[in-house]
Amino acid sequence: MDGGPRVPEQRRAGSAPVAEPGPLRFGVLGPVRAWRGEETLSTGSPQQRALLAALLLREGRTATAAELIDALWGSEPPSQALAAVRTYASRLRKVLSPGVLASESGGYAVRGLREGALDLAVAQDLAAEAEKARGTGELGRARSLLNQALDLWDGEPLAGVPGPYAEAQRARLEEWRLGLLETRLDLDLEQGCHAEAVSELTALTAAHPLRERLRELLMLALYRSGRQAEALAVYADTRRLLSEELGVDPRPGLSELQQRILQADPALAEPSAPVTEPTATPVRPAQLPASVPDFTGRSSFVSELTDVLSSASEAEGRVMAVSALAGIGGVGKTTLAVHVAHRARTAFPDGQLYVDLQGAGPRPAEPETVLGSFLRALGTADASIPDSLEERAALYRSVLDGRRVLVLLDNAKDAAQVRPLLPGTEGCAALVTSRVRMLDLAGAHLVDLDVMSPDEALALFTKIVGEERVAAEREAALDVVAACGFLPLAIRIAASRLAARRTWTVSVLAAKLADERRRLDELQAGDLAVKATFELGYGQLEPAQARAFRLLGLADGPDISLAAAAAVLDLPVEETEDLLESLVDTSLLESAAPGRYRFHDLVRLYARACAERDEWPPSEREAAMSRVLDFYLATAARVYAMERPGDRLVDDLEGTRYPGLRFTEGAAALDWLYTEAGPLLACVRQAVGTRRLRRAVDLLWAAKDLTESGANSHQYEMMARAMCEATRDAGDARAEGRARTTLTNVLLVSGRIQQASEAAELAMQLAESAGDATAVSWVANDRGLISLHQGRFHDGRAFFEQAIEGYRDAGNRLGQAVTLANLSRAYLGMGKVTKAVEIAQHGLAVHAEIGRPMRRANAHFALGLALTKAGRHTEALSQLSDAQDIFTEHRQRLWVGNTHFRIAEVHLAAQSPAQAAQHAEQALALGCVGGDRMRGNVLTLLGRALSVLGQADRAKACWREALNLYEQNGAEEAQVVRGLLAPATA
């Protein structure tokens, strides 16, 4: 009878009060309604009623706007959701009494309700009174109270109220109603009303055919009514139905009752004797396990949980406190819970109960068995302990009434296992640990326990190993705790192994743990093993969950999106989300953000080991990785195409079988690319040594914006180099040519011109030998850019003209337009300014014909440079500003920096040194395409502007830094800067 959702504290009372005329009353056990006295108040639209219901069921606590939006609309709120919530609240405030709907910290709460103001509160009070009455043997009164509680239901709870929160509460309230109904029917049978109960039970079993408790009560009622054959037929029907629908046998209690009926057990013929209160003298149990002596860290959790538990004991009239800790196996839930329980034990002078519920094992503890153990520990004689779970739970709560007892429920399977074991009375508290988040444990204070911080992890390691050994090899110790993923169990095992081996150094242990394939095997000592801890959780998974766990562990990267996970699993997104959220609930997977998931490092290693061991056929592992690579390539190609309409590169990429995402807006496409950078590049790396190599290279090429934006440049370069080596080893000239094309682009962006030249030359040779016309055109353009940096403008013009011809043959209009902008710069370097302006304008016109591609910014940029040289400063600033806007819109940070530099050049040429200095500073802050050499150019320009402004010392500082950068890179500009500094040293 204790399963109902908790409600605001204001309504708690010892009995069901009768509402006085005038005050507000609310109903949720049917349609959501409100009354003032006998007057029915308008509660508005379905969404408005959903808001009112969410607030009424919040225990008087404030609900934030985000929580209310989630309650009303779930994961797909309308764009104006916040405004809608505020509108609903405003309308409700006008209807309700002043002060009832309070605004706090950007949220709302229902406050100041009188006792009995909510029908659910009244029902809970009646159910609680019924429990006490039954515990003292007042069966008639208990039955009457339950009937009163059940009469408060008026159809479906929260009827007609939309939203995920209402749906969950509706199911929970209906489950609670059925539980109350079963208890009342049990009382009917105990009082000899078996004949009257048969018809009601017959209807209920038809409505709820899989509910075994109702079947059991019907069998007993039929047997006591002299209908033994029907009673046995009910069992046969139940057994067949469970086998067909669920593939299981009836629960032991039902089978036991069938045997007793077959044996005509005389004890079944009469109602069981009323339960009486225990007569034994209460005892004070002290069952807490010992706390570990080297407990470390977790100070905020310790304080938070201790305060919650202590306040439950101290506050008069407060309902019992329930704190539920959830986390991955080995994260230290039990250690923390035991430590906190010992700290708080003085607040519970009547004792502390403890049980390991074996929730992670194959045979979790039965609540009936645990209750029997608890009742004995509390002084109840065996003869006074009833048989059924409901009766034991009622007696347990009666025994605890008026006492201050702390109950530590360790290693729980789920909320259903826990509910019967909760004290349920003020002054008591329960502390629960589980690998499953107890979201459906009403009123619980939920705590998600993560791994330790690096400092806490090192402190624990030091306590076990010893300060002297760790201080001598601190870096190695940090490597050890990092290899342990900062997981307390793994750290304790590693430290214990080291402490037991005096000849080992910390570095030896670190080296052993560095091998990922051996790491889990190394993390075991005595009966402690990280792998065994994970094995318990894995063994609890359903087949679909286990498959998802295994296959998701194959994908590298910091996390994985829901869409990518669906590709790995080859399942619809909705089904994938259900599976992943169920893994989150078991703590084997973490939800990094809405729609994104990640493994703890050690769990990922275990998942891969499971995939290698259990995934059948083995080809499914390769198929999963192929699907996710297809997903990334297909989606990246669409992003590329949206950013570059008219570019034919996407037509020449490797084909994919698994589809990617589609986008309606360019901003959403770019959001995807930058968000997925880590997982995408990791997917490229995992293709090394596989048949996926060509697709991986093309994925890297399609995602080239990652390096041009300045984001993930280092990781991108690492992948480009890895692809160059892998394709060379595979003897695939086409793939290697494309890989070296991506590397050329990285080197150009970072300003390493000589290395870029070498990479481009080899890329051209490979592309020509493989007949890869697309790559030949790309590399020709890159070689032209390299020539510009080297001052070889005639060579640059030749390369650009080669690229334009190749793009023209391929029908690649965008390629032609981009290369025209670059050709303009070659003519500019040759001193042919008018020709440069003409070609840049031609390139811009082609861009205008194509549409709105990102690369139009390059045309504006090139035209701005040409106009600057022509002395047409106002026009130049206009073109460069247009370029800057487009680069900014498309998040090309480094190109935005370059544009600031060029705008600074125009301002300096136009005798506006202050504005020049301002834009130069912005270029330095953002960075530029061209790396250190371009930074030297910006510093040189900034120095010139500052010098004009009379800031000579600061100008010299800029020039000295620029000179240092030029000398490091062997740049010819160094001589110019030496000339600027010469007057200062003369």
Side-chain angles (χ1 to χ4, degrees), residues 561-909:
S561 68
L562 179 58
V568 172
L569 303 180
D570 198 17
L571 293 174
V573 170
E574 295 79 6
E575 188 175 343
T576 300
E577 184 174 24
D578 290 341
L579 280 172
L580 268 58
E581 286 297 326
S582 71
L583 290 174
V584 170
D585 289 340
T586 66
S587 298
L588 285 172
L589 191 67
E590 301 172 20
S591 180
R596 302 200 70 82
Y597 301 87
R598 67 186 178 206
F599 280 109
H600 181 277
D601 290 346
L602 294 179
V603 177
R604 185 197 302 277
L605 293 179
Y606 175 72
R608 287 183 179 173
C610 290
E612 293 176 4
R613 181 189 67 194
D614 300 338
E615 197 59 43
W616 194 262
S619 58
E620 176 56 15
R621 300 199 296 270
E622 171 61 25
M625 293 305 298
S626 181
R627 287 192 297 269
V628 74
L629 176 57
D630 276 358
F631 165 78
Y632 283 130
L633 177 54
T635 309
R638 289 201 179 102
V639 175
Y640 185 96
M642 288 191 73
E643 290 293 288
R644 300 168 175 82
D647 193 324
R648 302 297 298 276
L649 171 65
V650 292
D651 299 330
D652 200 32
L653 298 176
E654 287 291 307
T656 59
R657 295 183 180 180
Y658 195 92
L661 298 177
R662 295 185 180 276
F663 305 98
T664 57
E665 296 180 353
L670 286 175
D671 283 342
W672 179 87
L673 181 64
Y674 296 131
T675 301
E676 292 294 328
L680 183 152
L681 294 174
C683 186
V684 171
R685 181 180 62 242
Q686 287 190 277
V688 172
T690 72
R691 290 179 295 179
R692 307 189 299 272
L693 204 53
R694 281 198 171 191
R695 280 178 290 160
V697 170
D698 280 0
L699 171 57
L700 200 60
W701 200 355
K704 68 188 296 289
D705 284 346
L706 292 177
T707 187
E708 291 198 0
S709 68
N712 306 100
S713 297
H714 178 65
Q715 295 93 325
Y716 189 98
E717 179 179 346
M718 290 175 59
M719 292 309 100
R721 293 187 181 279
M723 287 296 103
C724 288
E725 293 180 12
T727 51
R728 181 195 61 205
D729 294 343
D732 189 334
R734 179 179 183 275
E736 185 183 354
R738 294 188 170 202
R740 296 197 180 277
T741 300
T742 65
L743 179 60
T744 300
N745 186 61
V746 175
L747 296 170
L748 261 173
V749 169
S750 62
R752 288 171 281 174
I753 304 304
Q754 184 55 42
Q755 293 181 47
S757 178
E758 295 168 1
E761 186 175 353
L762 182 53
M764 180 64 83
Q765 294 172 8
L766 290 162
E768 289 176 340
S769 69
D772 189 351
T774 299
V776 167
S777 298
W778 273 78
V779 178
N781 182 59
D782 283 346
R783 295 186 79 181
L785 291 171
I786 292 166
S787 297
L788 295 186
H789 283 284
Q790 295 173 333
R792 298 184 295 111
F793 302 113
H794 288 85
D795 289 343
R797 182 186 66 178
F799 284 128
F800 291 139
E801 289 173 347
Q802 178 187 0
I804 290 171
E805 183 180 352
Y807 286 136
R808 186 183 296 116
D809 292 343
N812 190 335
R813 298 261 295 157
L814 183 63
Q816 295 175 60
V818 169
T819 313
L820 281 170
N822 296 332
L823 180 60
S824 167
R825 295 173 62 186
Y827 277 104
L828 201 61
M830 295 160 62
K832 299 181 180 181
V833 177
T834 303
K835 183 71 171 177
V837 172
E838 177 188 328
I839 292 176
Q841 289 173 331
H842 180 202
L844 188 57
V846 176
H847 276 296
E849 292 172 13
I850 295 172
R852 179 192 155 275
M854 177 184 72
R855 289 302 171 188
R856 190 175 73 228
N858 294 86
H860 286 296
F861 186 86
L863 182 54
L865 296 185
L867 292 169
T868 301
K869 285 290 186 181
R872 297 156 63 179
H873 298 147
T874 301
E875 295 173 77
L877 285 175
S878 175
Q879 293 296 326
L880 290 171
S881 294
D882 288 344
Q884 186 177 60
D885 290 343
I886 298 173
F887 284 137
T888 300
E889 178 187 353
H890 293 269
R891 307 177 206 181
Q892 297 292 301
R893 177 175 60 84
L894 297 182
W895 275 108
V896 174
N898 277 61
T899 310
H900 274 295
F901 167 63
R902 296 303 183 178
I903 291 174
E905 283 187 322
V906 178
H907 281 301
L908 191 58

Side-chain angles (χ1 to χ4, degrees), residues 515-548:
D515 183 355
E516 287 191 352
R517 297 188 65 83
R518 289 281 306 158
R519 188 175 298 167
L520 288 176
D521 293 327
E522 294 289 345
L523 290 174
Q524 54 184 353
D527 60 352
L528 293 178
V530 171
K531 185 186 292 186
T533 300
F534 296 158
E535 192 76 48
L536 288 172
Y538 177 63
Q540 295 286 313
L541 300 179
E542 298 293 331
Q545 292 175 311
R547 174 182 178 268

Side-chain angles (χ1 to χ4, degrees), residues 235-275:
Y235 177 82
D237 290 341
T238 304
R239 183 176 182 181
R240 182 179 63 257
L241 181 67
L242 290 173
S243 176
E244 292 173 353
E245 295 291 328
L246 304 178
V248 298
D249 292 328
R251 64 187 181 91
L254 203 63
S255 302
E256 211 172 280
L257 179 59
Q258 182 226 19
Q259 291 300 314
R260 293 177 70 185
I261 290 173
L262 288 170
Q263 297 164 7
D265 186 346
L268 287 180
E270 297 295 333
S272 59
V275 177

